[in-house]
Amino acid sequence: MNYNNKLFRSIANSENGETSTETVFEYKQKGTILTSNYSGGQIICGHLIGLVDGDGNIEMSYHQINKRGEIMTGNCKSSPEIMPSGKIRLHESWQWTSGDKSKGKSVLEEI
């Protein structure tokens, strides 16, 4: 699976997360290396870097600056689902490595 030049929007997130339906991710992929710049909603600026396996699963780390002026960091594992439209839905399990170090789940959809 190749995520290069795909845009994703957050459609669901745990209460302790910062992404929202206003958050848009722009994915770039070279080989197995995935990167993304993202922003929107509570996030002023965010970046992620990860590795994509042969099944399209992603293991990533991220950092972002929120509207409170805080730097937040975390790790995430993401699994793809191909929807009937052919678009990709990503099911994510994540954990903050900053702040309260809590865990959460989110869903992104390709736009």
Side-chain angles (χ1 to χ4, degrees):
M1 183 166 309
N2 194 310
Y3 296 101
N4 195 46
N5 293 322
K6 294 190 182 296
L7 297 176
F8 290 87
R9 180 180 306 278
S10 178
I11 62 162
N13 199 0
S14 300
E15 207 170 289
N16 58 330
E18 293 188 338
T19 63
S20 68
T21 56
E22 298 171 305
T23 311
V24 176
F25 297 76
E26 183 180 354
Y27 279 29
K28 299 290 183 185
Q29 185 176 345
K30 231 181 231 189
T32 60
I33 298 171
L34 178 77
T35 60
S36 177
N37 293 322
Y38 59 95
S39 62
Q42 293 300 308
I43 300 169
I44 295 170
C45 179
H47 304 101
L48 66 80
I49 188 165
L51 293 171
V52 180
D53 72 14
D55 295 321
N57 298 303
I58 307 165
E59 187 167 343
M60 67 183 93
S61 294
Y62 57 89
H63 58 257
Q64 60 201 36
I65 298 175
N66 61 31
K67 285 189 173 179
R68 294 184 304 277
E70 301 167 321
I71 298 173
M72 300 296 291
T73 62
N75 295 314
C76 179
K77 291 188 179 186
S78 184
S79 299
E81 169 193 357
I82 305 300
M83 299 187 298
S85 66
K87 300 274 187 180
I88 302 168
R89 178 181 287 158
L90 295 171
H91 299 272
E92 302 188 320
S93 296
W94 50 265
Q95 182 172 9
W96 293 114
T97 55
S98 61
D100 65 6
K101 298 190 169 51
S102 61
K103 295 180 181 182
K105 294 193 179 295
S106 57
V107 178
L108 304 182
E109 280 190 359
E110 184 181 351
I111 52 177

